[in-house]
Amino acid sequence: MPSPDLCLAFFAAALLLGVAPGPDNIFVLTQSALFGWRAGLATTLGLATGLCFHTAAVAAGVAALIRASSWAFTFLKLMGAGYLVWLAWLSLRAGAARAAGTGAFPGYRALYRRGIIMNITNPKVLLFFLAFLPQFCRPGAGPVWLQIVLFGLLFILATLIVFSAAACLGGRLANWLNNSPKAQIALHRIAAVIFLGLALYLAFTDAGLQD
């Protein structure tokens, strides 16, 4: 197995990557700001579950196949973009319902599912794992697939720590927003714009890892 020093270095890198602004932590922040820190945690758990899928795909070699197949990459990213557009529509509809005094919390299970689907349908995450995890694998440290699983689990742990902190931060905003219906409506609209922006970014991205 990889040495403890290597695992520690990988974990530190994963923490730094988790802190860097990106679609996933922005997603957690918006959900926790809208519905409270528990909603952010449910979303975080969904995203972490999606990372389990990506880890397994890299370990099994599926990610390499998707990278080599332009149609598979395009299909997956368009699914992800379409799902983000749907989330934007839900946010706009929730904002309108909130304005009418009929807004409803979607439920923790729904937020958990959203996290899973958003992560799984983002091929950039899969290709990032394909490029990032194998760099830390070492000859003679055991089967490569087992090393990839270990590093994937460490990455997921780092993600849970950082995104849980983001959920708590967003939850503090939720305490204030609950007393301001206008602010809630505005945040729903901001969330819709963010989702649309992420959808456009995903739809027009390519299979390269340089951006």
Side-chain angles (χ1 to χ4, degrees), residues 59-76:
V62 175
L65 295 176
I66 291 179
R67 186 174 190 176
S69 175
S70 60
W71 72 264
F73 179 85
T74 300
F75 175 75
L76 191 59

Side-chain angles (χ1 to χ4, degrees), residues 187-198:
L187 188 58
H188 277 294
R189 291 172 179 171
I190 291 172
V193 171
I194 290 174
F195 289 140
L196 285 175
L198 294 175

Side-chain angles (χ1 to χ4, degrees), residues 54 79 92 97 128 140:
H54 292 306
M79 281 185 60
L92 286 174
F128 168 74

Side-chain angles (χ1 to χ4, degrees), residues 32-37 169-179 184:
S32 55
L34 284 168
F35 307 115
W37 66 271
L169 176 62
R172 289 181 176 271
L173 292 175
N175 292 332
W176 171 72
L177 289 170
N178 285 335
N179 298 320
Q184 281 254 338

Side-chain angles (χ1 to χ4, degrees), residues 10 37 40 54 56 64-65 88 96 112 120 123 131-132 149 155 168 172 194 203:
F10 175 88
W37 66 271
H54 292 306
L65 295 176
Y112 175 72
I120 287 180
F132 186 61
V149 169
F155 194 95
C168 292
R172 289 181 176 271
I194 290 174

Side-chain angles (χ1 to χ4, degrees), residues 103-179:
F105 172 55
Y108 296 117
R109 288 184 180 180
L111 292 173
Y112 175 72
R113 287 194 299 269
R114 289 181 187 181
I116 295 176
I117 297 172
M118 179 178 172
N119 202 299
I120 287 180
T121 57
N122 186 352
K124 295 291 284 187
V125 178
L126 183 61
L127 297 185
F128 168 74
F129 263 37
L130 178 62
F132 186 61
L133 300 186
Q135 292 183 31
F136 291 84
C137 295
R138 296 293 182 266
V144 173
W145 70 268
L146 188 57
Q147 294 185 62
I148 287 175
V149 169
L150 172 62
F151 290 127
L153 292 175
L154 287 174
F155 194 95
I156 292 168
L157 177 59
T159 298
L160 286 171
I161 292 173
V162 174
F163 286 10
S164 295
C168 292
L169 176 62
R172 289 181 176 271
L173 292 175
N175 292 332
W176 171 72
L177 289 170
N178 285 335
N179 298 320

